[in-house]
Amino acid sequence: MSSKVAKLVSAYRQHLTVPWQAGLAAIQRVIFAVYDKTDELRLRANVEEFALVTQQAGKKWLLLDLTNAFPEWMAAQEYRDAYFESPEDLAGYQNGELTEFIAGLTTQLKSCISAEADADTVVALLGVGTLFGLARVSSVVEGIKEAVEGRLLVFFPGEHHPENHTYRLLDARDGWNYLAVPLLAKD
């Protein structure tokens, strides 16, 4: 395990040692594990370390991988071949987001969460970088946060700017102000 990923696991372990407070607002139960985009493969190779730390803390783990969410959604579209020829024809593409895709994804995620998670579960989102150009991570988090009774852990390849609590996905898009708890690989 790389030292950066090990430090992120350590920050996560330390965060989990604090007893979970009841009655928090949904946004206060969201945790962003922020890491450098170049560490994506290292993090994926060691994601089970996060699961182990969660279980050692007496909590349940539910990993939801979004990596193939868009290809699976697109494959189910009746006019997918036409969309590949003319991507601008995709219905519901507004403000840099594919609204129909987001609606379907959040519905699918909420269904999985309600079936498999409870108040003692860490629901982890992996692969959010694959949403770049299709959906904002904040839209997905906003769409599912109320369904998560325990904690929502978002593996976030990008940056966190604490001075204005801004997150930037893949260091490329303008950031957004979000009040999630940031976990960083501290030196």
Side-chain angles (χ1 to χ4, degrees), residues 22-88:
L24 293 177
I27 189 60
Q28 294 173 303
R29 298 188 312 264
V30 178
I31 305 161
F32 272 49
V34 181
Y35 58 95
D36 190 281
K37 62 187 177 190
T38 60
D39 289 324
E40 178 72 20
L41 293 178
R42 287 179 199 90
L43 183 119
R44 285 176 173 271
N46 292 286
V47 76
E48 286 303 314
E49 291 294 320
F50 290 89
L52 182 62
V53 165
T54 304
Q55 292 157 356
Q56 288 171 343
K59 304 297 181 187
K60 299 173 200 155
W61 175 259
L62 175 60
L63 180 65
L64 302 174
D65 191 347
L66 307 184
T67 303
N68 294 319
F70 180 73
E72 290 168 359
W73 178 83
M74 181 56 87
Q77 300 304 304
E78 183 178 354
Y79 300 108
R80 66 185 166 274
D81 294 333
Y83 293 148
F84 284 116
E85 291 175 18
S86 301
E88 65 277 2

Side-chain angles (χ1 to χ4, degrees), residues 20 60 62 113-123 147-151:
W20 286 7
K60 299 173 200 155
L62 175 60
I113 292 165
S114 67
E116 299 184 43
D118 61 22
D120 278 334
T121 305
V122 173
V123 176
V148 178
E149 296 176 49
R151 297 297 181 267

Side-chain angles (χ1 to χ4, degrees), residues 50-170:
F50 290 89
L52 182 62
V53 165
T54 304
Q55 292 157 356
Q56 288 171 343
K59 304 297 181 187
K60 299 173 200 155
W61 175 259
L62 175 60
L63 180 65
L64 302 174
D65 191 347
L66 307 184
T67 303
N68 294 319
F70 180 73
E72 290 168 359
W73 178 83
M74 181 56 87
Q77 300 304 304
E78 183 178 354
Y79 300 108
R80 66 185 166 274
D81 294 333
Y83 293 148
F84 284 116
E85 291 175 18
S86 301
E88 65 277 2
D89 292 343
L90 270 169
Y93 194 79
Q94 301 170 344
N95 301 321
E97 292 191 294
L98 195 52
T99 54
E100 289 179 24
F101 167 63
I102 295 168
L105 178 60
T106 56
T107 298
Q108 179 184 5
L109 291 172
K110 286 194 295 190
S111 174
C112 187
I113 292 165
S114 67
E116 299 184 43
D118 61 22
D120 278 334
T121 305
V122 173
V123 176
L125 291 184
L126 183 66
V128 300
T130 62
L131 300 176
F132 186 78
L134 302 167
R136 298 187 197 292
V137 175
S138 59
S139 295
V140 174
V141 170
E142 284 296 315
I144 67 169
K145 70 181 184 186
E146 297 293 337
V148 178
E149 296 176 49
R151 297 297 181 267
L152 177 60
L153 173 65
V154 180
F155 290 108
F156 189 80
E159 298 176 342
H160 173 252
H161 298 277
E163 64 279 357
N164 55 5
H165 221 54
T166 302
Y167 293 87
R168 290 182 61 208
L169 181 64
L170 299 174

